[in-house]
């Protein structure tokens, strides 16, 4: 089943990312996470880009980043580099774009830094404590959960 439907409801987004719907709503309402979402008849509508972004945000929060830091870093990783033209892309294009990509993230002087690397590239000179996110795996897993949620709803 291809994920071509870009109109994703908050329950679907919650299922895809593992983040409770109320928490996602609160983050958006407080401006802690900048939406790619749009409003439709009073309902928040999300896109595949939101699924990808929140999948990365959740990994960063699990690592210890604050919500705002995680949102900023995820947006930089996904949309200011190779993803700039992929904001409205179908799920399969988002997944494929990151097959060769990992992100190394570390904290220094209270700030989060990251380096986007191709698989096999040497790690940059970074502190002893860091996180490596396989962006492809994170996004692929979120879209698989979305696919399963939609199939269960049919």
């Amino acid at each position: 089943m291809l994920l071509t439907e870009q109109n994703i409801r908050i329950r679907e987004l919650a299922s895809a990312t593992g983040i409770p719907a109320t928490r996602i709503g609160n983050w958006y309402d407080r401006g802690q996470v900048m939406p790619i979402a749009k409003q439709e008849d009073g309902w928040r509508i999300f896109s595949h880009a939101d699924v990808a972004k929140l999948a990365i945000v959740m990994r960063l929060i699990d690592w210890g980043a604050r919500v705002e830091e995680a949102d900023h870093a995820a947006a930089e990783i996904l949309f200011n580099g190779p993803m700039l033209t992929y904001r409205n892309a179908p799920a399969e294009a988002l997944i494929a774009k990151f097959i060769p990509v990992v992100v190394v993230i570390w904290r220094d002087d209270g700030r989060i830094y990251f380096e986007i690397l191709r698989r096999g590239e040497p790690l940059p000179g970074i502190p002893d404590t860091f996180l490596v996110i396989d962006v492809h795996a994170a996004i692929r897993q979120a879209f698989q959960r979305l696919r399963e949620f939609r199939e269960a709803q049919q």
Side-chain angles (χ1 to χ4, degrees):
M1 172 184 166
L2 287 177
L3 289 171
T4 56
E5 177 57 51
Q6 283 276 0
N7 291 335
I8 298 168
R9 300 279 184 194
I10 197 163
R11 282 187 15 211
E12 294 175 311
L13 184 61
S15 179
T17 61
I19 304 169
T22 53
R23 186 174 302 156
I24 294 169
N26 288 337
W27 288 348
Y28 280 100
D29 290 345
R30 291 191 301 244
Q32 291 175 294
V33 174
M34 300 313 298
I36 302 164
K38 59 186 176 193
Q39 295 284 334
E40 191 172 285
D41 298 330
W43 293 91
R44 285 188 186 95
I45 301 296
F46 300 92
S47 69
H48 291 147
D50 288 299
V51 173
K53 182 178 170 191
L54 285 182
I56 302 302
V57 164
M58 194 64 218
R59 291 206 172 37
L60 290 165
I61 289 171
D62 286 347
W63 176 66
R66 293 186 333 268
V67 176
E68 296 88 348
E69 289 177 317
D71 179 65
H72 177 75
E76 287 288 319
I77 291 164
L78 293 172
F79 305 118
N80 288 343
M83 289 294 292
L84 186 59
T85 59
Y86 282 77
R87 285 186 186 267
N88 296 314
E92 287 72 14
L94 288 167
I95 294 167
K97 182 65 180 174
F98 281 103
I99 287 174
V101 176
V102 295
V103 177
V104 180
I105 300 160
W106 67 96
R107 193 181 285 279
D108 193 16
D109 298 327
R111 293 189 54 217
I112 289 180
Y113 296 91
F114 62 89
E115 187 78 31
I116 299 172
L117 303 171
R118 295 223 170 285
R119 290 186 200 283
E121 275 188 288
L123 291 176
I126 57 175
D128 293 336
T129 304
F130 60 91
L131 170 70
V132 176
I133 297 177
D134 182 335
V135 179
H136 173 256
I139 294 171
R140 187 185 68 235
Q141 181 182 39
F143 283 120
Q144 180 61 36
R145 288 181 185 157
L146 176 60
R147 187 176 292 112
E148 290 168 0
F149 181 86
R150 285 185 171 170
E151 287 172 354
Q153 299 301 307
Q154 292 180 354

